[in-house]
Amino acid sequence: MTPKRKQRLYIVLSIVIGAAVAVGLVMYALSQNINLFYSPADIAAGKAPVETRIRAGGMVVEGSVKRDPQSLRVEFGLTDYVSTVNVVYDGILPDLFREGQGIVAQGEMNEAGQLMAVEVLAKHDENYMPPEVAEALEKAGKMPEQLRAKEAYAE
Protein backbone atom coordinates (compact mmCIF):
# COMPACT_ATOMS: atom_id res chain seq x y z
CA MET A 1 0.00 0.00 0.00
CA THR A 2 1.40 3.32 -1.00
CA PRO A 3 1.79 6.06 1.62
CA LYS A 4 -0.87 8.17 -0.13
CA ARG A 5 -3.40 5.28 -0.04
CA LYS A 6 -2.53 4.65 3.61
CA GLN A 7 -3.23 8.30 4.40
CA ARG A 8 -6.61 8.12 2.59
CA LEU A 9 -7.48 4.94 4.47
CA TYR A 10 -6.81 6.66 7.81
CA ILE A 11 -8.95 9.62 6.79
CA VAL A 12 -11.86 7.38 5.72
CA LEU A 13 -11.58 5.27 8.89
CA SER A 14 -11.56 8.36 11.11
CA ILE A 15 -14.67 9.71 9.33
CA VAL A 16 -16.49 6.36 9.72
CA ILE A 17 -15.54 6.07 13.39
CA GLY A 18 -16.56 9.69 14.04
CA ALA A 19 -19.91 9.17 12.34
CA ALA A 20 -20.53 5.96 14.31
CA VAL A 21 -19.79 7.73 17.60
CA ALA A 22 -22.09 10.62 16.64
CA VAL A 23 -24.93 8.24 15.72
CA GLY A 24 -24.41 6.34 18.98
CA LEU A 25 -24.59 9.53 21.03
CA VAL A 26 -27.74 10.67 19.22
CA MET A 27 -29.42 7.29 19.75
CA TYR A 28 -28.52 7.36 23.45
CA ALA A 29 -29.93 10.88 23.82
CA LEU A 30 -33.15 9.94 22.01
CA SER A 31 -33.63 6.81 24.10
CA GLN A 32 -33.75 8.98 27.21
CA ASN A 33 -36.63 11.01 25.75
CA ILE A 34 -38.81 8.23 24.37
CA ASN A 35 -41.94 7.72 26.42
CA LEU A 36 -44.53 5.30 25.18
CA PHE A 37 -48.26 5.52 25.76
CA TYR A 38 -50.01 2.90 27.89
CA SER A 39 -53.69 2.66 28.75
CA PRO A 40 -54.73 1.77 32.30
CA ALA A 41 -55.65 -1.73 31.03
CA ASP A 42 -52.12 -2.16 29.64
CA ILE A 43 -50.64 -0.97 32.93
CA ALA A 44 -52.85 -3.33 34.93
CA ALA A 45 -51.76 -6.18 32.63
CA GLY A 46 -48.15 -5.45 33.55
CA LYS A 47 -47.11 -4.21 30.11
CA ALA A 48 -45.78 -0.88 31.42
CA PRO A 49 -42.14 -0.95 32.55
CA VAL A 50 -41.28 0.08 36.11
CA GLU A 51 -39.10 3.17 36.63
CA THR A 52 -39.21 4.11 32.95
CA ARG A 53 -40.92 7.28 31.81
CA ILE A 54 -44.27 6.51 30.18
CA ARG A 55 -47.47 8.33 29.28
CA ALA A 56 -50.83 7.08 30.47
CA GLY A 57 -54.17 8.43 29.43
CA GLY A 58 -57.75 7.97 30.39
CA MET A 59 -60.58 9.50 32.31
CA VAL A 60 -60.21 10.83 35.86
CA VAL A 61 -62.40 8.66 38.09
CA GLU A 62 -65.30 10.54 39.68
CA GLY A 63 -64.75 11.04 43.41
CA SER A 64 -61.15 9.80 43.34
CA VAL A 65 -59.27 13.12 43.59
CA LYS A 66 -57.59 13.42 46.99
CA ARG A 67 -55.59 16.58 47.71
CA ASP A 68 -53.06 16.86 50.52
CA PRO A 69 -53.91 20.05 52.44
CA GLN A 70 -50.25 20.55 53.45
CA SER A 71 -48.73 20.33 49.98
CA LEU A 72 -49.53 20.24 46.26
CA ARG A 73 -49.67 16.44 46.30
CA VAL A 74 -52.75 15.03 44.53
CA GLU A 75 -53.82 11.43 44.08
CA PHE A 76 -56.50 10.32 41.67
CA GLY A 77 -57.67 7.32 39.71
CA LEU A 78 -57.19 7.12 35.94
CA THR A 79 -59.45 4.71 34.08
CA ASP A 80 -60.24 3.46 30.61
CA TYR A 81 -63.36 1.81 32.10
CA VAL A 82 -61.59 -1.56 31.98
CA SER A 83 -58.93 -0.93 34.64
CA THR A 84 -57.99 1.89 36.96
CA VAL A 85 -54.50 3.12 37.83
CA ASN A 86 -53.69 5.27 40.83
CA VAL A 87 -51.80 8.43 39.84
CA VAL A 88 -49.77 10.53 42.28
CA TYR A 89 -48.81 14.04 41.19
CA ASP A 90 -46.95 16.70 43.17
CA GLY A 91 -47.51 20.03 41.48
CA ILE A 92 -50.07 22.45 40.16
CA LEU A 93 -52.74 20.75 38.09
CA PRO A 94 -53.96 22.35 34.86
CA ASP A 95 -57.02 24.57 35.18
CA LEU A 96 -59.05 22.20 33.00
CA PHE A 97 -58.31 19.19 35.21
CA ARG A 98 -61.44 17.79 36.85
CA GLU A 99 -63.13 14.50 37.57
CA GLY A 100 -64.66 12.73 34.60
CA GLN A 101 -62.34 14.43 32.10
CA GLY A 102 -59.76 12.90 29.79
CA ILE A 103 -56.14 13.53 30.70
CA VAL A 104 -52.68 12.31 29.83
CA ALA A 105 -50.20 11.85 32.69
CA GLN A 106 -46.49 11.44 32.13
CA GLY A 107 -44.33 9.76 34.74
CA GLU A 108 -42.90 6.51 36.02
CA MET A 109 -44.55 3.45 37.53
CA ASN A 110 -43.29 2.45 40.96
CA GLU A 111 -43.24 -1.02 42.51
CA ALA A 112 -46.56 -0.31 44.29
CA GLY A 113 -48.29 0.03 40.90
CA GLN A 114 -48.76 3.81 41.14
CA LEU A 115 -47.94 6.19 38.35
CA MET A 116 -45.71 8.90 39.84
CA ALA A 117 -46.60 11.70 37.42
CA VAL A 118 -44.27 14.56 36.64
CA GLU A 119 -46.69 16.18 34.20
CA VAL A 120 -50.46 16.12 33.80
CA LEU A 121 -52.04 17.33 30.58
CA ALA A 122 -55.75 18.09 30.43
CA LYS A 123 -57.77 18.44 27.29
CA HIS A 124 -58.40 21.95 26.03
CA ASP A 125 -62.12 21.78 25.29
CA GLU A 126 -65.03 19.48 25.93
CA ASN A 127 -64.94 17.92 22.45
CA TYR A 128 -61.21 17.18 22.32
CA MET A 129 -59.84 13.80 23.32
CA PRO A 130 -56.13 12.94 23.02
CA PRO A 131 -55.81 10.41 20.19
CA GLU A 132 -54.17 7.81 22.42
CA VAL A 133 -56.95 8.12 25.01
CA ALA A 134 -59.64 7.95 22.32
CA GLU A 135 -58.04 4.81 20.91
CA ALA A 136 -57.81 3.20 24.37
CA LEU A 137 -61.44 4.04 25.13
CA GLU A 138 -62.53 2.78 21.71
CA LYS A 139 -60.71 -0.53 22.36
CA ALA A 140 -62.48 -0.81 25.68
CA GLY A 141 -65.79 0.00 23.99
CA LYS A 142 -66.29 2.97 26.31
CA MET A 143 -66.02 5.88 23.91
CA PRO A 144 -68.35 8.68 25.05
CA GLU A 145 -71.31 9.03 22.66
CA GLN A 146 -70.68 12.72 21.94
CA LEU A 147 -67.17 11.95 20.68
CA ARG A 148 -68.32 8.94 18.67
CA ALA A 149 -70.97 11.08 16.96
CA LYS A 150 -68.39 13.78 16.26
CA GLU A 151 -65.99 11.28 14.66
CA ALA A 152 -68.78 9.83 12.54
CA TYR A 153 -69.75 13.34 11.42
CA ALA A 154 -66.13 14.17 10.51
CA GLU A 155 -65.80 11.10 8.24
Side-chain angles (χ1 to χ4, degrees):
M1 187 178 293
T2 64
K4 188 147 186 143
R5 280 187 149 185
K6 207 176 222 179
Q7 184 182 13
R8 285 183 186 162
L9 178 65
Y10 290 136
I11 290 171
V12 169
L13 285 177
S14 64
I15 290 172
V16 169
I17 291 171
V21 169
V23 168
L25 290 173
V26 168
M27 296 300 288
Y28 178 74
L30 290 177
S31 71
Q32 299 294 316
N33 293 325
I34 293 174
N35 49 23
L36 300 175
F37 181 83
Y38 292 92
S39 69
D42 291 339
I43 294 170
K47 295 179 182 176
V50 176
E51 297 181 4
T52 300
R53 185 170 285 205
I54 63 168
R55 291 186 309 142
M59 309 297 278
V60 178
V61 177
E62 298 275 346
S64 68
V65 178
K66 297 175 189 157
R67 298 177 191 270
D68 183 4
Q70 305 299 322
S71 68
L72 296 174
R73 183 181 172 99
V74 179
E75 290 186 36
F76 57 92
L78 185 65
T79 186
D80 60 357
Y81 302 109
V82 174
S83 298
T84 301
V85 173
N86 191 29
V87 179
V88 178
Y89 178 66
D90 195 5
I92 299 172
L93 289 168
D95 291 339
L96 297 173
F97 177 90
R98 61 181 182 262
E99 295 175 351
Q101 294 294 314
I103 64 143
V104 174
Q106 190 175 68
E108 297 178 357
M109 295 298 299
N110 64 13
E111 280 91 22
Q114 295 177 317
L115 178 65
M116 306 303 290
V118 294
E119 186 175 19
V120 174
L121 305 171
K123 66 180 187 175
H124 54 76
D125 76 10
E126 62 196 32
N127 295 322
Y128 176 75
M129 176 77 63
E132 297 95 348
V133 174
E135 184 178 326
L137 292 176
E138 188 69 36
K139 270 189 204 173
K142 301 291 184 180
M143 180 67 103
E145 285 301 319
Q146 67 187 43
L147 293 175
R148 186 171 296 159
K150 182 182 173 191
E151 286 181 3
Y153 179 74
E155 293 176 357

